Amino acid sequence: TQLLEQSPQFLSIQEGENLTVYCNSSSVFSSLQWYRQEPGEGPVLLVTVVTGGEVKKLKRLTFQFGDARKDSSLHITAAQPGDTGLYLCAGARSGGSNYKLTFGKGTLLTVNP
Amino acid sequence: NAGVTQTPKFRVLKTGQSMTLLCAQDMNHEYMYWYRQDPGMGLRLIHYSVGEGTTAKGEVPDGYNVSRLKKQNFLLGLESAAPSQTSVYFCASRDPGPETQYFGPGTRLLVL
């Protein structure tokens, strides 16, 4: 059962364009994380959001956690070729143990010069 | 600090052979994880450990075994490799709470 659905699966845009990636679920998460993975490397954490409605900014990246803590979005302004990579969202389930993170399948972003 | 390291980086096995993947972390983290990543499937949890001497099954544990004899090491074993186990394997570690999960660089395994 895929608890976290990411969309789109693939995204190819030109440098300077804006984009939004979505991470949706029917389950409530106590926290949600976004990772970026470059070819041949492991994922690296970008941000963790824990409060419903929370918005965090990391330079040109804006992350939002839904009010009900079931979904999240990542918005990139003026994308650059260095933003190219696989973006993964991961959630820690609410209630019980939070030992495990549930990962979405990822959005593969290509920013063309 | 080296963070999370994985050995080996790449391996080719024949069907039926066995091998052990080693993960080491120097951050004194309590939790450690083994994932496999396949095209279109995302990261799938194989086994995990919430402390030295403990292990638990994840989403896709069949065909794999693990051990955590020391807090800093988490070993993933394949007793009899199958072509379906061709994948990229990632180890990760973190502490309890909404803390950063640190990943290793991955081990690329090809089973012929």
Side-chain angles (χ1 to χ4, degrees):
Chain A
T1 302
Q2 181 63 31
L3 295 178
L4 276 171
E5 298 285 346
Q6 284 190 245
S7 61
Q9 188 176 357
F10 301 97
L11 189 56
S12 181
I13 62 172
Q14 294 300 121
E15 182 175 0
E17 292 183 359
N18 301 332
L19 67 113
T20 301
V21 175
Y22 300 93
C23 178
N24 296 308
S25 176
S26 58
S27 301
V28 176
F29 292 95
S30 58
S31 67
L32 198 139
Q33 300 180 334
W34 284 93
Y35 293 80
R36 181 168 67 207
Q37 183 179 17
E38 298 188 12
E41 299 182 6
V44 176
L45 182 71
L46 294 173
V47 76
T48 300
V49 286
V50 297
T51 305
E54 183 176 5
V55 176
K56 282 192 174 180
K57 291 190 175 183
L58 185 64
K59 296 183 180 178
R60 295 175 293 99
L61 278 60
T62 301
F63 305 86
Q64 184 164 8
F65 201 13
D67 291 341
R69 291 184 290 138
K70 293 182 178 181
D71 53 81
S72 181
S73 64
L74 158 60
H75 182 79
I76 301 179
T77 303
Q80 299 178 0
D83 296 326
T84 292
L86 179 67
Y87 289 82
L88 297 160
C89 65
R93 295 293 299 276
S94 182
S97 67
N98 68 339
Y99 302 139
K100 297 181 287 184
L101 292 178
T102 299
F103 281 85
K105 293 185 178 181
T107 293
L108 185 60
L109 172 65
T110 303
V111 183
N112 303 298
Chain B
N1 289 348
V4 180
T5 58
Q6 292 183 232
T7 308
K9 289 183 170 56
F10 180 71
R11 185 74 183 269
V12 179
L13 288 179
K14 294 181 179 178
T15 297
Q17 287 185 320
S18 63
M19 76 164 295
T20 300
L21 281 65
L22 171 64
C23 175
Q25 53 97 1
D26 60 4
M27 296 170 284
N28 203 37
H29 285 164
E30 288 295 329
Y31 302 168
M32 295 188 74
Y33 306 84
W34 275 108
Y35 296 89
R36 59 178 290 174
Q37 187 175 39
D38 303 289
M41 300 297 292
L43 280 164
R44 293 184 292 172
L45 182 64
I46 304 172
H47 285 281
Y48 65 101
S49 168
V50 298
E52 181 179 318
T54 75
T55 63
K57 293 180 180 180
E59 182 184 355
V60 289
D62 293 343
Y64 305 95
N65 56 76
V66 288
S67 64
R68 185 125 180 247
L69 300 179
K70 294 183 179 181
K71 187 177 183 179
Q72 64 267 33
N73 295 335
F74 196 28
L75 278 63
L76 177 70
L78 285 72
E79 291 185 347
S80 180
S84 61
Q85 294 177 304
T86 292
S87 187
V88 182
Y89 292 85
F90 287 99
C91 176
S93 71
R94 72 178 180 109
D95 272 334
E99 301 293 337
T100 302
Q101 186 160 275
Y102 293 88
F103 284 84
T107 294
R108 284 143 189 81
L109 176 65
L110 175 61
V111 183
L112 301 175

